[in-house]
Amino acid sequence: MRILVVEDDPHIARDLCESLSAEGYLVEHEADGNEAWFLGDTEDYSAVILDLGLPGMDGLSLLRKWRENNRSFAILILTARGNWTERVE
């Protein structure tokens, strides 16, 4: 299973990538939203772990663009946002 971790916090990204790799997943990491968009649009992933607060392009915009381009991999969203309306969006 190939997983893309899109996270700009280096500590969180490192921990996620190391943990997933230790479980046998093929893991790639990207910290910038624009770069992640390109990877997700041109490469095949089974799943994406997506932070919402990213440089370049925010996570929700990134997700919308992938879905507009019929990219159908599973998405797990990570966020520190606590506002109910932001979490529902």
Side-chain angles (χ1 to χ4, degrees):
M1 179 179 266
R2 189 173 177 201
I3 298 175
L4 175 62
V5 173
V6 184
E7 171 61 61
D8 63 330
D9 182 299
H11 303 292
I12 294 172
R14 182 193 66 232
D15 290 347
L16 280 170
C17 291
E18 287 177 1
S19 295
L20 291 166
S21 293
E23 293 297 321
Y25 297 103
L26 177 60
V27 181
E28 296 176 44
H29 169 249
E30 184 53 61
D32 179 82
N34 290 319
E35 295 296 322
W37 175 82
F38 177 77
L39 287 175
D41 202 49
T42 60
E43 301 289 329
D44 290 322
Y45 294 99
S46 301
V48 174
I49 298 177
L50 179 63
D51 182 24
L52 295 182
L54 299 167
M57 182 186 312
D58 70 271
L60 282 178
S61 296
L62 183 58
L63 175 55
R64 287 182 183 120
K65 285 184 75 165
W66 282 333
R67 293 304 191 230
E68 287 170 3
N69 289 345
N70 296 316
R71 302 304 288 171
S72 61
F73 36 72
I75 304 275
L76 175 65
I77 295 178
L78 297 180
T79 184
R81 296 180 183 178
N83 181 306
W84 174 250
T85 55
E86 286 180 318
R87 291 188 346 216
V88 168
E89 182 181 18

